[in-house]
Amino acid sequence: MAKAYHHQKIEQKWTEYWEKHPVNVDDGKKEKYYCLDMFPYPSGNGLHVGHWRGYVISDVWSRYKLMNGYYLIHPMGWDAFGLPAENYAIKNKIHPAVSTAENVKNIKRQINQIAAIYDWDREVNTTDPDFYKWTQWIFVQMFKKGLAYEKEMPINWCPSCKTGLANEEVVNGKCERCHSEVTKKNLKQWMLKITEYGDRLLDDLDRLDWPEKVKRMQTEWIGRSYGAEVEFPIDGRDEKITVYTTRPDTLYGATFMVLAPEHALAKSLATDETREAVEKYITDAANKSNVDRLQNKEKTGVFTGTYAINPMNQKKIPIWLSDYVLADYGTGAIMCVPAHDDRDFEFATQFNIPIIQVIAKDGKEIGHMTEAYTEASGTMINSGDWNGMESAVLKAEAPHIVEKMGIGRAKKNFKLRDWVFSRQRYWGEPIPIIHCPDCGNVAVPEEELPLTLPEVESYQPTGTGESPLAAIDSWVNCKCPQCGKDAKRETNTMPQWAGSSWYFLRYVDNKNDKELVSREKADKYLPVDMYIGGVEHAVLHLLYSRFYTKFLYDIGAIGFDEPFTKLFNQGMVTGKNGVKMSKSMGNVISPDDLVEKYGCDSLRLYELFVGPPELDSEWDDRGIEGVYRFLAKFWNLAQENMDRFIEPTEELTRLRHQLIHAITTRLNTFSLNTVVSGFMEFNNKLGELSRKGGIDKETVETFVVLLAPFAPHIAEELWQDLGHETSVFAEKWPEADEEAMAEDTKEIAVQVNGKLRATIRIKADATKEEAIAQGRDAVKDKLSGNIIKEIYVPGKIVNIVCK
RNA sequence: GCUGGCGUGGCGGAAUUGGCAGACGCACGGGACUUAAAAUCCCGUGAUGGUAACAUCGUACGGGUUCGACCCCCGUCGCCAGCACCA
């Protein structure tokens, strides 16, 4: 009786073996390969099968690279600052550090069930003072370079989380985390000047092997545009209003101007007649919530009573206020060309403002326009000297023309805003700044870092815009490091993104107490070759990390300026009907029971088999039975043949090489679901051959080697049973031999008039004439009329066209 | 509204990118083994007609290009994602 497949026994055995005999060792000669998972937040809920998927994908890829001769950097750590731990602390009066440590322990246990080859010596935790010392150090360097600055301004405020938010954290006017409606609050904030890196963040996307979708999202988020700033004199005053436009070619068509209600000149433009209405409009606009502004796009506005002069034709144009103009983009003021801009058209129609067409549409002046003509193509009309020019050409030249005229300049703009970096919460890195009445803002001296988070009695956020740290007098009051006078500490903390913006650097040198990473190790092991995680971070974490990396490159801390060479976004695993797994929906599937029942190897395979790795997949527990049966079948097949292997036949050798080829190409294109189906298909074929005449040892061995990255335990056990004393992971990934793969004959389809009528087996080297002759013969009773054409696509098809 | 992606059996999904549609798995049906069940193994399984060989239809819908279209082009519908007054 052959040995039976006991997954628990085997998996335990090899877990212990790998513990003692690690398979991934740095011999100093191998090339490195850095495969990184987005590190998890240690949630109290533990992992569900969706989290597993990403980790399985990265481990399969890592083990594949290992078998291709690389030394792997494949680390894991904890993104452990953040609100859930803090909210838990508020509710249960347990220090976040305590609950976090418990959660880490549990999730680490779960992650170990995956049997991924993580190098736990490299583990990092963003809440560890030895780690956040460097998070603070980076902030200090940014402060010294003027990239971290303090500013009071209306920022996005989540009334439920009671903290300010970055632009990136506001989704459809709601808090990214808790989905409460975001309001505006005027707060003094630390900001990071990410806009200074706008061009590089955009241009360098070209160099990255990332999904186009993510690149597109970042491109749109950064939102670079080219145009001109043009100055419009105010009628009867010495002042000018500067506007930004991407369509300076339409300058002659500007029939009015609109300022954001928050514009510095807004109030002063009112006349005695309009003052009351203007002031009311400004107040109303200030009270409008983000969601209001987003959902209600009907144009509102108020005429200031004042006019500007169109600098091209000296015509007087009315100045209006409207909240469709954003205060914090461009100059907060726009020139309006209703004939060629949808929004201006809507506004002009509503308020009866003249519309002047300046680009001919289809060579014509339309007269009464019913909609704006927004294309920059056509001949200029009603435009003085510019008449007759092509608008597309003029669009590019106009910025230089206005510059020469002394009324403006070429200008580029970004949608990207500086990063609001202060959080009014407890569980984050304290911002290492001291406010001195004489010296102003002074950085905490580097030798005093880390500035540790003090114990606090109440974690409750105050809601006033101050962090709970502000209540600790003994901590707040300090001496200025520069002049020694009484001073106060900054009490805001950093956002959760701070630690995750650079953690991947620390893994390669996590015990260094002199530098955040040594240049030697950074040069040797970085950057990350493959980064695997969900798409939800497309513009948050991934943009911030790129910014941090570029900054650290600029100050010479590291020698590369893009952190992640290749990115893979795995799809979500959902419950029935595509519903996201969540505690409240009650549809969370824990991997623990499945590992117990079917084993780690089966769950690993099923995580891949459930669907294409880049797409969302619905979890169905029943499907795991299928992969379990496959493993058990393969196991039995191997065991039964152990003492009766036959010599390799030509067919077996061919199949073996075809398998190598199929698995390798599918693996290289990340088609991991079809890798698994490929294994199953081949296993079925082997079963058949085994019943018919037997199978050879080499084929089974190759199968085991190929299966190893996917189902490592069963592969090791079978490898040992096949008589090997070293780990299967010491094996080199096999190569397919083209010649051995080739078949002497091939089955091809024969069509008549494009319809399948027969299949024939032809010699692989058959000539066109031979193939067609054979094909014609096979369908001779299905031909009617005269043959007018005969087509042969080598190795694929014969098609006979008759009429 | 704009941009991008997708639409294939009862279900999850394959199809070497223009060449035999539905691989593989689930589910279902039949059979073998068993006192019986479970497990396991074998066979079948897009629809319609036919005892059958076979024929016709079939990749959201309507058209087109081609010897040949799930794949390319034009139009329509539906779903998903991102952005959302950025001038």
Side-chain angles (χ1 to χ4, degrees), chain A residues 650-666 675 678-679 681-682 685 689 699 702-703 706 734-746 761:
Chain A
E650 205 173 303
E651 184 183 15
L652 281 162
T653 306
R654 187 175 67 240
L655 282 173
R656 177 159 56 84
H657 283 279
Q658 283 174 345
L659 178 73
I660 297 168
H661 179 77
I663 300 299
T664 309
T665 47
R666 292 171 191 192
V675 169
F679 278 130
E681 214 178 333
F682 188 73
K685 218 172 278 174
L689 290 177
T699 299
T702 302
F703 196 120
L706 294 173
E735 269 180 51
D737 181 339
E738 290 280 344
E739 231 167 85
M741 257 166 62
E743 292 178 61
D744 297 345
T745 63
K746 251 190 156 161
R761 188 158 271 285

Side-chain angles (χ1 to χ4, degrees), chain A residues 37 55-56 58-59 74-76 111-112 114 116-120:
Chain A
D37 293 282
Y55 302 143
V56 170
S58 80
D59 190 57
H74 190 42
M76 185 44 83
I111 284 184
N112 276 323
I114 298 169
I117 31 176
Y118 292 123
D119 185 347
W120 289 108

Side-chain angles (χ1 to χ4, degrees), chain A residues 678-716:
Chain A
F679 278 130
M680 290 172 166
E681 214 178 333
F682 188 73
N683 189 46
N684 293 342
K685 218 172 278 174
L686 275 190
E688 201 183 307
L689 290 177
S690 166
R691 279 194 303 277
K692 279 184 186 160
I695 52 175
D696 64 318
K697 188 177 181 192
E698 248 178 306
T699 299
V700 174
E701 283 187 338
T702 302
F703 196 120
V704 168
V705 170
L706 294 173
L707 186 64
F710 300 87
H713 307 90
I714 196 173
E716 285 280 33

Side-chain angles (χ1 to χ4, degrees), chain A residues 392-407:
Chain A
V393 176
L394 181 59
K395 186 174 172 234
E397 281 179 15
H400 311 292
I401 300 175
V402 296
E403 200 156 346
K404 269 186 209 140
M405 290 171 69
I407 58 166

Side-chain angles (χ1 to χ4, degrees), chain A residues 116 205 354 540 569 615 637 687 708 764 780:
Chain A
L205 283 173
L540 286 153
N569 292 127
L615 299 183
L637 179 74
K780 59 179 178 245

